[in-house]
Amino acid sequence: MSEPVGLKVSYIFPNGDRYEGQCSRSPDGVVRREGVGTHSSPDGLVYTGEWQNDQLNGWGRLQHASGAVYEGQFKDNMFHGQGMYTFRSGSKYAGSFKENRVEGEGEYTDAQGLVWTGSFHCETAPGLKLKLNM
């Protein structure tokens, strides 16, 4: 069996989404996003980063229409690994993610600039500590 052929494409989907970047074509003719590229939607969602098997896999940046941004690792179209999520308010979380949820050690900086550290589990973070800058 031969290796997939690498391509650089610019494609507009029927729903108006756009993709510009690398793709591969398998020996049976299937084209998939593979490598680095940018996918954007008419409503303002933009992803720039790595693709594998037509999914967000690897390092990337996802900007929502609201202005919220996630930069970090993706696995199978989900936030997974290390990353930073910046909320529209300016507050942000930097740390571990698992399947689109905060999970593990991290740091949350609130809109006033106070930094909280600890272990995060979905929507809870028992035992957070305020990090003091002295």
Side-chain angles (χ1 to χ4, degrees), residues 1-52:
M1 183 181 269
S2 62
E3 289 294 314
V5 176
L7 309 166
K8 180 120 172 137
V9 300
S10 181
Y11 183 79
I12 300 173
F13 293 86
N15 68 355
D17 285 10
R18 297 174 160 267
Y19 176 76
E20 292 190 30
Q22 298 172 323
C23 285
S24 67
R25 183 188 316 258
S26 68
D28 58 352
V30 176
V31 175
R32 292 189 173 119
R33 291 168 286 191
E34 195 83 38
V36 177
T38 298
H39 185 110
S40 58
S41 66
D43 63 1
L45 188 72
V46 179
Y47 171 77
T48 301
E50 297 176 314
W51 295 82
Q52 183 181 19

Side-chain angles (χ1 to χ4, degrees), residues 89-102:
S89 66
S91 60
K92 60 187 167 187
Y93 167 81
S96 297
F97 289 81
K98 182 178 181 183
E99 297 177 350
N100 280 345
R101 294 189 167 106
V102 295

Side-chain angles (χ1 to χ4, degrees), residues 10-133:
S10 181
Y11 183 79
I12 300 173
F13 293 86
N15 68 355
D17 285 10
R18 297 174 160 267
Y19 176 76
E20 292 190 30
Q22 298 172 323
C23 285
S24 67
R25 183 188 316 258
S26 68
D28 58 352
V30 176
V31 175
R32 292 189 173 119
R33 291 168 286 191
E34 195 83 38
V36 177
T38 298
H39 185 110
S40 58
S41 66
D43 63 1
L45 188 72
V46 179
Y47 171 77
T48 301
E50 297 176 314
W51 295 82
Q52 183 181 19
N53 200 28
D54 211 36
Q55 294 187 332
L56 286 60
N57 276 299
W59 193 262
R61 181 179 195 274
L62 180 67
Q63 182 169 341
H64 299 273
S66 68
V69 175
Y70 172 79
E71 281 189 83
Q73 295 173 307
F74 287 83
K75 181 180 177 189
D76 300 332
N77 289 335
M78 292 185 279
F79 309 156
H80 195 87
Q82 293 299 304
M84 180 184 303
Y85 191 95
T86 304
F87 298 86
R88 187 173 68 171
S89 66
S91 60
K92 60 187 167 187
Y93 167 81
S96 297
F97 289 81
K98 182 178 181 183
E99 297 177 350
N100 280 345
R101 294 189 167 106
V102 295
E103 185 66 40
E105 294 303 308
E107 210 172 76
Y108 176 77
T109 305
D110 65 25
Q112 290 76 40
L114 297 175
V115 179
W116 302 86
T117 63
S119 188
F120 293 78
H121 302 286
C122 297
E123 296 175 5
T124 64
L128 280 185
K129 294 183 173 117
L130 179 61
K131 188 175 176 181
L132 298 174
N133 292 327

